[in-house]
Amino acid sequence: MKVGFIGLGNVGGKLSGSLLRNGIDLTVLDLNRDLVNAAVAKGAKAADNAAQLMRDCDAVITCLPSPAASDAVMQEMLPEIKEGKIWMEMSTTDQAEAERLGGMVIAAGGAAVDCPVSGGCHRADTGNISIFAGCDRATFERILPLLKTMGRRILHTGDLGTASMLKVLTNYLATVHLVANAEALVTAKAAGMDLNTTYEAIKISSGNSFSHVTESQVILNGSRDISFTMDLVKKDVGLFQSIAERNGVPLEVSPLICQIFDDGIERYGDRELSPNIIRRLEDATGLSILAPGFPPEMTDDEPEEPGYEVIPQGSARASAAE
């Protein structure tokens, strides 16, 4: 299968790297020519535009920073979509937008999948990240080998759009945990606790979370570098809030998280690293939340392993497999 990849940023560059590392015939496109050249140096081919990429490839993956960017690329690709072509949307986007763009692909005779990733850039780099996939089962079976190459745990979430909904839900939870971790660490410091001991207490307790064992480490190091910025957090939590509002759910925590990040962006800028949301409390208390022995960025120390499909507990497919 010939694969095209559009968007070689923090996540896309790593996902496309997994495809190249595993021998996939890959053609890439990005507005940043340096990123394209780096991929070409690893064995990729370069495309001139999105239309050419869709014309020449069997499947085209998009991994872009906003729904608007995905829409712009889709308008270029759409005339080249026909039966047999597959569009794979790996951007974090709105469920309704994934359904709208995917519907255009299906109407043109192609197949569409929204397949965002979750688990951090460090796991995207090693092919150990998790991937959600929303599409019909037949399409899922067609693209499963590619998903297993880019990720380890692959979950078929249901129809087109369901993966995007679950992606923003999980990003929302990670953001809540980040803000809570910031409050816990600053409160521990204010109370005179050793922060190394505090980190371990949270890690081995019911208070642990994925956010703690990743973002708390770079917070305590001082780099605050998790390859994610405040504007992206605001986008993702806003997408989650929109889903809740469309479905009549009166959320209480989500609007507060939006306000916290609006304030963080106003203070520090929209491209500030997201773990630096803790600076609001550092500034308010005069405390410095640092501790020795923590890394400046996260790396995945698990060896790359073949991916596999995750079967939801209690599902008909789980029962059939027993």
Side-chain angles (χ1 to χ4, degrees), residues 185-205:
L185 291 172
V186 174
T187 300
K189 178 74 172 182
M193 284 300 304
D194 173 76
L195 289 178
N196 292 77
T197 303
T198 299
Y199 172 84
E200 294 299 335
I202 297 171
K203 182 179 176 181
I204 65 172
S205 75

Side-chain angles (χ1 to χ4, degrees), residues 208-219:
N208 194 29
S209 65
F210 177 83
S211 176
H212 177 63
V213 297
T214 55
E215 292 174 297
S216 289
Q217 294 205 62
V218 297
I219 285 173

Side-chain angles (χ1 to χ4, degrees), residues 229-263:
T229 51
M230 290 191 183
D231 60 332
L232 296 177
V233 171
K234 181 180 177 181
K235 180 200 76 170
D236 291 353
V237 178
L239 290 172
F240 176 74
Q241 180 67 30
S242 295
I243 291 171
E245 290 172 358
R246 286 200 301 266
N247 289 280
V249 183
L251 301 181
E252 296 176 282
V253 175
S254 175
L256 179 58
I257 295 293
C258 291
Q259 293 173 22
I260 288 170
F261 273 89
D262 281 339
D263 181 64

Side-chain angles (χ1 to χ4, degrees), residues 1-5 14-20 22-26 57-61 86-88 90 113 115 117 127 129 131 133 139-154 304-308:
M1 179 182 285
K2 293 183 178 181
V3 179
F5 205 109
K14 294 174 175 61
L15 295 173
S16 60
S18 290
L19 293 173
L20 284 172
N22 288 281
I24 300 299
D25 184 344
L26 188 70
C57 296
D58 303 301
V60 174
I61 298 167
I86 307 173
W87 172 56
M88 298 169 60
M90 301 195 80
V113 189
C115 45
V117 300
I129 203 161
I131 305 178
T139 299
F140 178 76
E141 296 287 354
R142 287 174 65 193
I143 57 129
L144 186 56
L146 285 179
L147 299 182
K148 287 181 178 179
T149 300
M150 290 184 284
R152 180 183 293 189
R153 300 168 185 87
I154 317 300
E304 183 174 7
E305 294 183 2
Y308 60 89

Side-chain angles (χ1 to χ4, degrees), residues 32-256:
N32 187 328
R33 191 66 199 184
D34 290 339
L35 296 178
V36 172
N37 291 340
V40 169
K42 296 177 183 178
K45 296 184 284 291
D48 293 328
N49 54 63
Q52 176 202 343
L53 205 60
M54 181 59 77
R55 183 168 59 251
D56 295 344
C57 296
D58 303 301
V60 174
I61 298 167
T62 49
C63 191
L64 297 163
S66 69
S70 291
D71 178 70
V73 166
M74 178 55 67
Q75 301 313 316
E76 291 185 45
M77 294 192 299
L78 198 58
E80 302 295 336
I81 294 175
K82 58 185 179 181
E83 185 176 354
K85 300 287 186 178
I86 307 173
W87 172 56
M88 298 169 60
E89 172 64 297
M90 301 195 80
S91 318
T92 299
T93 191
D94 180 56
Q95 177 182 8
E97 187 67 358
E99 292 170 350
R100 184 182 74 85
L101 295 181
M104 295 165 63
V105 172
I106 293 168
V113 189
D114 61 318
C115 45
V117 300
S118 185
C121 285
H122 59 300
R123 289 185 177 170
D125 199 28
T126 57
N128 287 327
I129 203 161
S130 298
I131 305 178
F132 304 153
C135 58
D136 62 87
R137 186 69 199 183
T139 299
F140 178 76
E141 296 287 354
R142 287 174 65 193
I143 57 129
L144 186 56
L146 285 179
L147 299 182
K148 287 181 178 179
T149 300
M150 290 184 284
R152 180 183 293 189
R153 300 168 185 87
I154 317 300
L155 178 65
H156 183 211
T157 57
D159 294 336
L160 180 70
T162 56
S164 293
M165 185 274 162
L166 290 172
K167 166 63 175 178
V168 298
L169 182 152
T170 58
N171 274 20
Y172 164 71
L173 287 172
T175 303
V176 172
H177 298 160
L178 169 61
V179 172
N181 287 335
E183 292 187 346
L185 291 172
V186 174
T187 300
K189 178 74 172 182
M193 284 300 304
D194 173 76
L195 289 178
N196 292 77
T197 303
T198 299
Y199 172 84
E200 294 299 335
I202 297 171
K203 182 179 176 181
I204 65 172
S205 75
S206 58
N208 194 29
S209 65
F210 177 83
S211 176
H212 177 63
V213 297
T214 55
E215 292 174 297
S216 289
Q217 294 205 62
V218 297
I219 285 173
L220 292 167
N221 170 272
S223 76
R224 315 286 162 92
D225 187 1
I226 205 70
S227 298
F228 210 68
T229 51
M230 290 191 183
D231 60 332
L232 296 177
V233 171
K234 181 180 177 181
K235 180 200 76 170
D236 291 353
V237 178
L239 290 172
F240 176 74
Q241 180 67 30
S242 295
I243 291 171
E245 290 172 358
R246 286 200 301 266
N247 289 280
V249 183
L251 301 181
E252 296 176 282
V253 175
S254 175
L256 179 58

